[in-house]
Structures are given as C-alpha cells and as structure tokens.
Amino acid sequence: MKAEILCVGTELLLGDTINTNAAFAAKELAKLGITVYHQSVVGDNPGRLKESLAEAFSRADIVLMTGGLGPTYDDLTKETVAEFFGRKMYMDEPSLAAIEAFFNKVGRPMTDNNRKQALMPEGAVIFANKNGTAPGLAVGNDEKIAILLPGPPNEMEPMMKNSVVPFLKGKTNTVIVSRTIHIIGLGESYVESILRDYMLAHTNPTIAPYAKTGEVQLRVTASAKNDEEAYALIDPVVAEVAEKFKDYVYGIDVGTLENAAITLLREKGLSAATAESCTGGMVSARLTAIAGASEVFGCGVCTYSNEMKMQLLGVREETLAAHGAVSPETALEMAKGVRKLSGADFGISITGIAGPGGGTAEKPVGLVYIAVDSEKYTKTEKLLLSRGRENERTMIRTLAANNALRLLIEAVTKY
C-alpha cells in the first residue's frame, strides 16, 4: 500500500512550528510495510486543502493528515474530507461527552465552539484522544482511506501508536523492519566507499548510510511477512557489516551515544562523572536526559574559569601556568579531579576553544582535549574540530561532547 502524509497548518508553512509529525508518522507507517512517497504541507485554506487532498489521493491509497481538527473556524480538515467522500457530518455523542469530561477535569469552561470537534463524517472510525479534546478518525471507501489526527505532537503521537497502527495492521500483509549500526570516527563518504559494492549487492535487506553530526548510522532494512522473517534476513548482515567497522561501532540500535553510555555503565555496574569547560555541561545534560541515568551518573561539574578548575577539581596552578587551560595535562587533571570529587569509577573531561574568537596559531579555534580517568584505563586525546566554516561554535561543542561520550564508551568497554 502507498500512503501520503499531508500536514495542515499555516504555522507550519511560516516556519513558526517545526513539523515533527510527518517524520513520526512516516516511521510508524514504514514499520507496517506501508510506503510513503510524498509528504506535503498546506495552510488552513479550504480551497488549497481540497486541491492538496485530491492530488494526494491521485497517487496514494492512504492519506494521513495532521492538524485542522481544532474548534476554530479555520479548522476545516474534517469538513473537507467529508466533502471529498460525499459524507454528511453528524454529532458523535461519545466524542462530545469525552470533550465535556476533559473540560470538567481541568476546571475550565467549555465554550460552544468546542462542540465542533465532536462533529464527524458519517461512517468514520473514531480514535479517542486521551491527551486533548480533538478526536482522530479514519474515513474512506473500498479504495481510499483518509486518516485524520490532531496537530499537537503530544496528542498525535500516542494516537498514532495506540489507535492508527492497530487500525492499519489488518490492511497490510507486509512489515518493514530496520536495525541501525552506529559508527563514530569515520565519515559518511569513507563508510560508503568501503560498503558500496556490498550495498549494491543487497536488495532485501538494504543498507543505507545516514550522516549525523560527528557520526554515521547504517540502517539495515528488510521487508517480510512478519518480524521474525525480517530479522532472519537482517541479523546476519548487521553482524557482517559491524565486523567491518568494529573499531568504530559504538552500538547496534542504541539510539544515541548517551544512551549507549548509560546502558553500558548500567550493565557493568559502574559510574561516571563529568568535568566540562568549553562544552558548558552538554555531556552531563545529554547523559541525564536518559531515564535511569541517576543509577550511574551522580556528578557533572562545569568549570569554565581557571579558578574553578583549581578550586573544584584540584587542577594545579603550576599545570595551568605551564600548559594552559587547553592542554592534555589540564584535561587529565580535570578527569582525575572529578573522579576524586564524585567517587565515580570514571572521570570524563573536556577543555578546548569553541570560538569564534580566542584561538592562536599554537592553539587554534576547534582545538579540544578530552580525557578519561579510571583505576584501570586512562587516556587523553587531542581533537581538531574546526572545519573552517562560519558560526562553528555549536558544531565544535557538539563534536567535543560526542567524542567525550565515545571515549567514555571505549573506557567502559575496556574496563
């Protein structure tokens, strides 16, 4: 089956709101073996919405729409879809009761225009909204189906998972399953050059590289009748490809570097602490964004000034005077200091020059030192992260944090 995603909202066209719904819906449809060839956005205009809907249905069996289900006069998605299929609108009493209950629960008066959200096209399958007031729905005929979901992601995403996916499962006999190999330390072009012939030789599963900031992901995807058959196709390929890049793979299906680090620390019953300068707490923020991080991470210190490096981490004044704040010696003393301060098994540190100013010929913008310290494994690395672009500060800080997490994973793996 072919699907198209049509997101409704003038705020999306103006750039006031980032359209995350399309990406989320596309991933969920792909898992069901439903192919998405087109995505589009249309404003809150009934004429253009009608045109976009007709165009989408000219090339797709399913059109999944988000937005335009609110109570205001310009929320016309349901009405447009009802007209397309020749359906009359009716008041769905269970939906109206749910909306009234929502307002009673939050202690706010329900204005009359909210009743509009309970109006439904005849014959629609209605999806209850447990996180807001606008129900979702599916309506169509034997050949075409429109699926309408609310625009706010905190309402759209659970409705997609809990209602739409089960609804669509019975309409397809294929699943598409993917596994992701996470690589850091190699560029996309290099990875592709090594794998090019291998990728061209594989059609099911397929192998595709995706470049991220400072890393590469290889997605291995198979189409099959069920998950078991798909994984039987995928797993040997994943193992073979991961072996080719074994010195640079930091995980399979781990999501992010920080998730990989937290998972590995938890599995080994070890802990870590961070000492950051130029990254300003980015590593600790990323680690603590992972649920359960408190089991393995108890301390993150941001020592931006030399005084704080000495006072909190015990970096020696002589070290700073002889080598400077951006040096392997300072990085190592920061890592040792935060490990001593926190009692953690691993201390991770970052010190560098993120720019745009502050660099010299000897210590240019983008020079970063990272270090890890533990009883069994200690290492310091020099990084040159500038790419000669404008506004590199965020990129340099992100790459520094990525490499610090990579070094932590390496240290825990070797511990």
Side-chain angles (χ1 to χ4, degrees):
M1 298 180 75
K2 291 187 292 186
E4 184 155 337
I5 297 170
L6 176 58
C7 297
V8 181
T10 302
E11 70 279 5
L12 301 174
L13 289 175
L14 295 175
D16 293 333
T17 300
I18 297 174
N19 184 13
T20 60
N21 286 341
F24 184 87
K27 288 181 181 179
E28 294 301 316
L29 290 171
K31 293 176 187 177
L32 296 168
I34 297 173
T35 303
V36 176
Y37 287 142
H38 297 89
Q39 298 180 9
S40 56
V41 177
V42 63
D44 298 298
N45 178 282
R48 287 191 288 273
L49 177 55
K50 187 176 180 180
E51 291 174 4
S52 296
L53 183 64
E55 184 178 2
F57 269 126
S58 72
R59 56 197 180 201
D61 309 300
I62 300 169
V63 176
L64 189 146
M65 307 174 72
T66 68
L69 301 183
T72 59
Y73 72 93
D74 59 346
D75 289 311
L76 297 171
T77 301
K78 282 186 298 186
E79 291 79 358
T80 303
V81 170
E83 181 183 349
F84 181 88
F85 286 108
R87 306 292 178 85
K88 294 181 179 180
M89 301 291 286
Y90 77 99
M91 181 61 68
D92 183 65
E93 295 298 331
S95 295
L96 181 59
I99 295 169
E100 291 171 342
F102 176 87
F103 279 97
N104 288 332
K105 182 179 179 180
V106 299
R108 287 162 42 199
M110 175 177 159
T111 56
D112 191 60
N113 58 356
N114 281 283
R115 295 173 56 86
K116 177 176 178 292
Q117 294 181 294
L119 288 170
M120 295 291 165
E122 291 179 341
V125 176
I126 299 170
F127 306 133
N129 188 344
K130 298 181 180 179
N131 301 282
T133 57
L137 63 138
V139 63
N141 52 39
D142 293 338
E143 297 179 350
K144 306 289 183 180
I145 301 172
I147 296 172
L148 284 63
L149 301 178
N154 66 325
E155 299 177 30
M156 177 269 179
E157 292 180 7
M159 190 179 292
M160 182 76 196
K161 278 184 169 291
N162 300 327
S163 298
V164 176
V165 168
F167 172 78
L168 290 174
K169 269 187 175 179
K171 301 182 182 299
T172 178
N173 57 4
T174 304
V175 299
I176 297 177
V177 176
S178 297
R179 300 201 69 189
T180 301
I181 304 167
H182 300 264
I183 296 172
I184 189 169
L186 297 175
E188 181 186 21
S189 58
Y190 178 82
V191 171
E192 197 270 348
S193 70
I194 297 297
L195 284 181
R196 181 173 176 77
D197 292 340
Y198 191 86
M199 289 191 293
L200 292 174
H202 286 76
T203 56
N204 192 27
T206 59
I207 306 132
Y210 296 88
K212 304 291 182 179
T213 301
E215 61 176 290
V216 177
Q217 295 180 0
L218 290 172
R219 186 171 297 162
V220 183
T221 304
S223 174
K225 292 181 180 179
N226 53 55
D227 287 355
E228 184 178 357
E229 290 185 12
Y231 282 116
L233 294 170
I234 288 173
D235 288 345
V237 174
V238 169
E240 188 174 353
V241 173
E243 179 63 22
K244 291 179 183 290
F245 302 102
K246 61 183 179 180
D247 293 334
Y248 301 93
V249 172
Y250 69 82
I252 310 293
D253 296 330
V254 293
T256 61
L257 281 156
E258 51 267 32
N259 186 66
I262 292 294
T263 300
L264 191 57
L265 287 165
R266 189 184 293 122
E267 288 174 353
K268 294 202 171 189
L270 299 168
S271 61
T274 59
E276 301 179 63
S277 183
C278 64
T279 47
M282 289 178 71
V283 176
S284 61
R286 287 169 61 172
L287 289 171
T288 54
I290 305 302
S294 59
E295 298 174 26
V296 296
F297 181 80
C299 178
V301 179
C302 177
T303 52
Y304 213 60
S305 70
N306 287 354
E307 290 77 9
M308 290 298 100
K309 289 179 176 67
M310 291 186 289
Q311 184 175 327
L312 295 178
L313 300 176
V315 176
R316 295 179 302 157
E317 185 175 4
E318 296 84 356
T319 300
L320 292 166
H323 305 287
V326 181
S327 65
E329 292 82 3
T330 296
L332 184 56
E333 289 189 19
M334 288 171 65
K336 289 180 178 294
V338 78
R339 187 164 80 89
K340 180 179 179 181
L341 175 69
S342 64
D345 297 298
F346 296 90
I348 297 290
S349 71
I350 303 175
T351 181
I353 304 169
T360 66
E362 292 183 352
K363 295 185 177 183
V365 169
L367 174 64
V368 174
Y369 290 97
I370 57 176
V372 61
D373 180 64
S374 68
E375 286 188 5
K376 300 180 181 179
Y377 188 85
T378 297
K379 186 178 181 180
T380 304
E381 288 188 11
K382 176 183 178 180
L383 307 170
L384 295 171
L385 302 178
S386 173
R387 302 295 182 262
R389 306 169 186 166
E390 293 185 8
N391 303 317
E392 289 188 309
R393 183 176 178 83
T394 298
M395 182 200 72
I396 289 169
R397 284 155 49 90
T398 300
L399 290 175
N402 284 356
N403 279 279
L405 288 165
R406 185 260 307 161
L407 185 58
L408 173 60
I409 292 168
E410 176 186 309
V412 177
T413 301
K414 295 177 179 292
Y415 197 78

